[in-house]
Amino acid sequence: MRWSGLREEIVMKYAEDLYVYEWKDMFDNNCNSYYIGGSVQALIDPGLTCHVPSLLESMRCDGIRQADIRHILNTHSHPDHFEGSEYFAVDGVNIAMHGEEVAFLNGEGGSLYGLFGLNRPKTVVNRILTAGELTLGDEIFEVILIPGHSPGSVGFYWPKRKALFCGDVIFDRSVGRTDFPGGSGTLLKASIRNLADFDIECLLPGHMGIVDGAESVRRNFRIVIQQIFPYI
């Protein structure tokens, strides 16, 4: 692990071919980004466009070139996760998001950009995801539809590593907000209960820190269900 002077983030090679870029700036909104190397070559949630250059520089320090990125996997379409996808909209790069979230972005969800003084990106999602198996390179992932924070939010579960990239559905002892367009507390709680049934040893959320270790992950689900659910 090391601190990056390029932006307020922790740069960490978490495991072989898995890199974590955790956003730490309390005064500027952005999301955690994750890169899976090897044969996968996927960046999960590139964040806001204005922060992509510094993200790429941090990745370069880890030996990852922009040309190495072949897939952009978006957990959902909110600006602080999806906007930066436009930076990678070049030939040969798959911009991926669930079909329900694409429809949401093209409708009610697009209005969220204006609320933050941004223009809705014109990025074309050229790989429409559905719930179920997703093969990238030599690795198999499971796409899990987990609405509540947004209608087409997804998690990416990596069975080989027992790792879950969960976007803004659940955090360390907290959950994603449901007061944006398309949010639903009822759906969010059902999605979290669904995720709690998976065999997870590492929870990699869109904000805040990683929850590491199977018992820590189980404890985190218990805390959220018992202490946070009553307020959703």
Side-chain angles (χ1 to χ4, degrees):
M1 181 187 300
R2 70 173 188 277
W3 284 102
S4 169
L6 299 168
R7 65 182 206 160
E8 292 294 326
E9 65 178 4
I10 291 179
V11 182
M12 180 173 67
K13 183 176 182 180
Y14 174 77
E16 183 180 0
D17 293 331
L18 175 54
Y19 296 82
V20 174
Y21 299 92
E22 182 185 331
W23 186 257
K24 299 291 288 185
D25 191 338
M26 300 296 293
F27 302 100
D28 194 4
N29 186 41
N30 200 36
C31 72
N32 298 336
S33 299
Y34 303 96
Y35 180 73
I36 304 173
S39 65
V40 177
Q41 298 181 291
L43 176 64
I44 299 174
D45 286 352
L48 288 164
T49 302
C50 63
H51 294 305
V52 170
S54 58
L55 170 63
L56 289 172
E57 181 60 21
S58 294
M59 294 174 72
R60 186 193 64 78
C61 292
D62 287 323
I64 304 162
R65 305 170 301 157
Q66 183 175 347
D68 295 329
I69 303 169
R70 310 314 303 162
H71 307 278
I72 303 296
L73 304 181
N74 292 286
T75 60
H76 62 294
S77 66
H78 287 171
D80 58 334
H81 290 253
F82 175 76
E83 190 197 25
S85 296
E86 64 185 357
Y87 207 97
F88 302 92
V90 297
D91 289 344
V93 176
N94 291 312
I95 309 295
M97 194 158 63
H98 194 277
E100 289 193 29
E101 192 71 2
V102 174
F104 174 65
L105 175 63
N106 290 334
E108 182 185 21
S111 65
L112 191 59
Y113 283 77
L115 294 177
F116 290 95
L118 302 169
N119 295 319
R120 186 176 68 82
K122 298 179 181 179
T123 308
V124 175
V125 175
N126 56 18
R127 183 162 188 174
I128 303 297
L129 300 175
T130 57
E133 187 175 292
L134 173 67
T135 300
L136 297 175
D138 299 328
E139 299 290 338
I140 297 175
F141 299 83
E142 182 176 350
V143 179
I144 311 163
L145 182 61
I146 42 176
H149 181 64
S150 69
S153 285
V154 297
F156 299 103
Y157 180 61
W158 193 358
K160 179 179 175 180
R161 298 283 180 87
K162 297 183 180 180
L164 175 68
F165 305 88
C166 54
D168 284 3
V169 170
I170 184 168
F171 306 131
D172 182 4
R173 291 164 292 174
S174 188
V175 301
R177 58 193 298 174
T178 59
D179 58 336
F180 283 147
S184 166
T186 299
L187 290 177
L188 185 77
K189 288 188 283 188
S191 292
I192 291 171
R193 290 188 186 279
N194 179 25
L195 294 178
D197 289 334
F198 281 77
D199 184 9
I200 303 168
E201 294 185 357
C202 181
L203 192 69
L204 300 126
H207 300 278
M208 304 172 67
I210 292 171
V211 182
D212 195 12
E215 179 51 39
S216 295
V217 172
R218 287 192 292 269
R219 184 186 310 113
N220 191 65
F221 276 111
R222 288 197 300 270
I223 290 171
V224 166
I225 291 170
Q226 294 171 5
Q227 300 182 15
I228 306 298
F229 273 22
Y231 300 97
I232 298 175

